[in-house]
């Protein structure tokens, strides 16, 4: 297992990501974190945007487990809460996730989102883009590009879920710790 970003580098990268979002994301903006690790990342980005002067940004959580195209391969899905406490139609959405790989999670998120309404636009922010797309999906905002082999895994760890901030690459055949 390789440490790609330690705690301090992680926080600096997330800060730079937030600066780009603050400068380029349209108003009125709302933020949706993709459950699980996209939610705390979205909350942190929201706080940063508000400190930068973008006030009153509504936020929510999007659970995509029922919309995944591999739901039958994964056993019984653990369904989490989707919370969208604002009118989608009135906002540009910043969809936040931890790692972009094949694009299938984002496709599921867009499908889920469409069941709740039609936002003005959707932008995608990810902490890590590891390449390897299977679908024509590209992020608008990226914290870090990580090269990883097809059998490798890239994990974003956040304090709120994992007790530590960081990014690790787990090579094929290695056990995750």
């Amino acid at each position: 297992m390789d440490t790609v970003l330690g705690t301090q580098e992680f926080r600096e990268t997330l800060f730079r990501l937030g600066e780009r979002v603050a400068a380029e994301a349209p108003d009125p903006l709302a933020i949706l974190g993709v459950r699980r690790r996209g939610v705390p990342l979205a909350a942190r980005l929201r706080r940063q945007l508000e400190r930068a002067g973008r006030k009153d940004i509504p936020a929510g959580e999007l659970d995509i487990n029922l919309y995944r195209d591999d739901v039958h391969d994964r056993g019984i899905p653990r369904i989490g809460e989707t919370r969208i406490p604002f009118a989608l139609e009135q906002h540009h959405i910043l969809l936040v996730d931890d790692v972009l790989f094949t694009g299938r999670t984002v496709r599921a998120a867009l499908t889920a989102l469409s069941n709740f309404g039609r936002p003005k636009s959707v932008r995608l922010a990810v902490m890590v883009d590891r390449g390897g797309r299977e679908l024509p999906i590209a992020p608008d905002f990226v914290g870090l590009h990580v090269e990883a082999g097809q059998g490798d895994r890239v994990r974003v760890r956040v304090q709120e879920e994992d007790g530590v901030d960081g990014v690790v690459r787990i090579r094929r055949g290695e056990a995750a710790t």
Side-chain angles (χ1 to χ4, degrees):
M1 181 167 49
D2 303 325
T3 298
V4 177
L5 292 178
T7 299
Q8 188 59 36
E9 297 90 358
F10 177 93
R11 292 177 182 168
E12 290 167 358
T13 301
L14 186 59
F15 182 80
R16 286 190 304 273
L17 176 62
E19 285 182 323
R20 287 193 299 275
V21 171
E24 298 174 28
D27 283 320
L29 184 65
I31 297 178
L32 284 176
V34 176
R35 290 185 57 87
R36 290 192 0 167
R37 286 168 182 80
V39 172
L41 291 171
R44 291 192 204 184
L45 286 172
R46 179 180 182 226
R47 286 191 298 271
Q48 183 178 348
L49 293 173
E50 289 181 341
R51 283 191 300 270
R54 306 273 303 258
K55 300 294 182 196
D56 302 319
I57 299 172
E61 303 177 10
L62 189 62
D63 182 81
I64 61 150
N65 282 316
L66 285 178
Y67 299 92
R68 296 181 61 95
D69 60 7
D70 62 354
V71 69
H72 300 293
D73 300 336
R74 299 169 67 107
I76 298 172
R78 261 181 69 187
I79 307 304
E81 182 180 13
T82 289
R83 284 188 327 98
I84 304 176
F86 52 87
L88 285 174
E89 296 78 9
Q90 298 173 9
H91 295 89
H92 298 275
I93 301 301
L94 179 67
L95 188 64
V96 180
D97 202 6
D98 57 350
V99 178
L100 178 59
F101 180 27
T102 63
R104 294 185 179 283
T105 296
V106 175
R107 187 215 39 90
L110 293 171
T111 302
L113 191 59
S114 71
N115 284 331
F116 292 96
R118 184 175 178 181
K120 291 178 180 248
S121 68
V122 179
R123 300 297 194 301
L124 176 62
V126 296
M127 185 65 182
V128 174
D129 181 352
R130 61 150 297 155
R133 225 69 82 233
E134 295 175 3
L135 299 172
I137 291 174
D140 299 284
F141 307 100
V142 178
L144 179 70
H145 293 272
V146 173
E147 289 187 30
Q150 190 63 28
D152 297 347
R153 292 176 286 160
V154 176
R155 297 283 185 246
V156 169
R157 295 184 173 158
V158 292
Q159 181 70 39
E160 298 87 341
E161 292 279 335
D162 307 298
V164 65
D165 286 333
V167 176
V168 296
R169 178 179 36 234
I170 305 160
R171 302 283 184 188
R172 173 182 276 172
E174 288 183 332
T177 57

